Amino acid sequence: MPASVSLTDLQERIGLRFADESLLRLALTHSSYANEHTDAVGSNERLEFLGDAVLGLVVAERLYADFPDIEEGQLTQWRAHLVQGPTLARVAGRLELGRWLLLGRGEDATGGREREGNLAHVYEALIGAICLDSGPGGGMDGARRFIERSLEPEITGLQTDPAELNPKGVLQQLAEIELGRPQYVTTDERGPDHAREFTVEVRLGGEVFGTGCGGSKQQAEKQAARQAVLRLRERLDAEAPALDATSGAE
């Protein structure tokens, strides 16, 4: 955590105040930092374990309440999408949690603040810390409010944009007629075996339309596909007025 960044700033950012700031600090402590600092009380891994369980329960409750006409299979798919690493990393990115991560020197120097796995894990650890805190914004109710508030855009988007759930399928439908089948190319692979990081490009007609990173090739491909869908939609929208004008001229 840079010296210029304080826990007070973070609490303002996430909209709650901890009664026990040591819980918040622990939630931000990556194992690489704990290994380098003898004064660290531990890493955020146990809080991540707790937060993961709380997150799954809250998301399941919310989906059950909000979508009474949706079958179990679809609810299961939606829940899996909402609690997967890329989704949580995106939410953590919106909250800028990477700014406050406590990282070891090597992890920090190699892009650890933007690494998908670190962001997803710190989001889950933060949920665990909120759940354990005794302040007015803490406890299970506080964790539920935080999860629902921070995940609201993703929950709202479940029924409005199929690219959120199946970006590769949507990209293939958009591209196949004119640009051909998307090609996914792994351009980089780094990190230890337990924390691999893959970078994948998706190409259409030989042109790179999107790049994604993730803890697996599948996750990286999905992220690249989402980016490509946005870019391809923009291109198709830009071409539509020109086509309309041509049709009108006839």
Side-chain angles (χ1 to χ4, degrees):
M1 184 192 308
S4 60
V5 179
S6 73
L7 293 182
T8 299
D9 294 334
L10 173 56
Q11 290 173 95
E12 291 178 357
R13 177 70 179 162
I14 63 178
L16 57 87
R17 174 73 63 179
F18 274 76
D20 182 359
E21 286 194 355
S22 68
L23 282 170
L24 178 56
R25 184 176 179 85
L26 182 59
L28 300 168
T29 304
H30 189 267
S31 58
S32 62
Y33 182 92
N35 291 336
E36 291 182 9
H37 293 78
T38 57
D39 59 336
V41 296
S43 75
N44 62 8
E45 291 175 352
R46 283 171 52 84
L47 284 176
E48 176 197 336
F49 164 79
L50 175 60
D52 175 68
V54 173
L55 174 65
L57 174 61
V58 170
V59 167
E61 286 181 340
R62 174 68 185 271
L63 294 177
Y64 184 86
D66 282 10
F67 303 104
D69 299 324
I70 300 298
E71 295 294 328
E72 178 269 342
Q74 183 65 72
L75 293 176
T76 298
Q77 185 180 6
W78 282 353
R79 180 183 61 187
H81 167 69
L82 290 171
V83 303
Q84 69 177 343
T87 302
L88 302 185
R90 185 165 67 246
V91 175
R94 280 202 304 267
L95 296 172
E96 300 181 285
L97 296 184
R99 291 175 55 198
W100 285 273
L101 270 172
L102 292 168
L103 300 173
R105 290 187 295 273
E107 184 69 17
D108 201 359
T110 56
R113 294 187 186 280
E114 293 79 39
R115 188 161 292 135
E116 181 182 277
N118 290 346
L119 291 173
H121 295 162
V122 73
Y123 177 76
E124 290 177 323
L126 180 57
I127 292 169
I130 294 170
C131 191
L132 294 178
D133 191 62
S134 61
M140 187 65 190
D141 287 342
R144 179 179 287 105
R145 289 191 297 270
F146 172 74
I147 292 167
E148 292 188 349
R149 184 171 68 248
S150 58
L151 270 176
E152 190 62 36
E154 282 68 29
I155 295 172
T156 303
L158 286 173
Q159 289 189 307
T160 59
D161 189 358
E164 278 297 313
L165 289 174
N166 185 20
K168 294 177 69 174
V170 171
L171 178 61
Q172 185 164 324
Q173 290 176 352
L174 288 173
E176 204 159 24
I177 296 176
E178 295 187 11
L179 296 172
R181 193 178 187 87
Q183 292 183 313
Y184 295 89
V185 180
T186 301
T187 59
D188 192 25
E189 181 179 342
R190 64 179 64 191
D193 290 341
H194 68 279
R196 301 298 285 169
E197 186 85 5
F198 298 88
T199 301
V200 171
E201 291 180 350
V202 59
R203 301 173 183 175
L204 300 171
E207 181 181 352
V208 176
F209 268 71
T211 302
C213 298
S216 69
K217 288 184 180 180
Q218 183 180 31
Q219 290 178 350
E221 287 175 358
K222 284 185 175 181
Q223 190 177 101
R226 286 192 187 94
Q227 190 178 107
V229 166
L230 292 175
R231 183 177 173 190
L232 188 54
R233 282 173 172 170
E234 289 175 355
R235 175 178 291 191
L236 293 174
D237 288 344
E239 291 174 352
L243 292 174
D244 291 343
T246 302
S247 300
E250 295 175 355

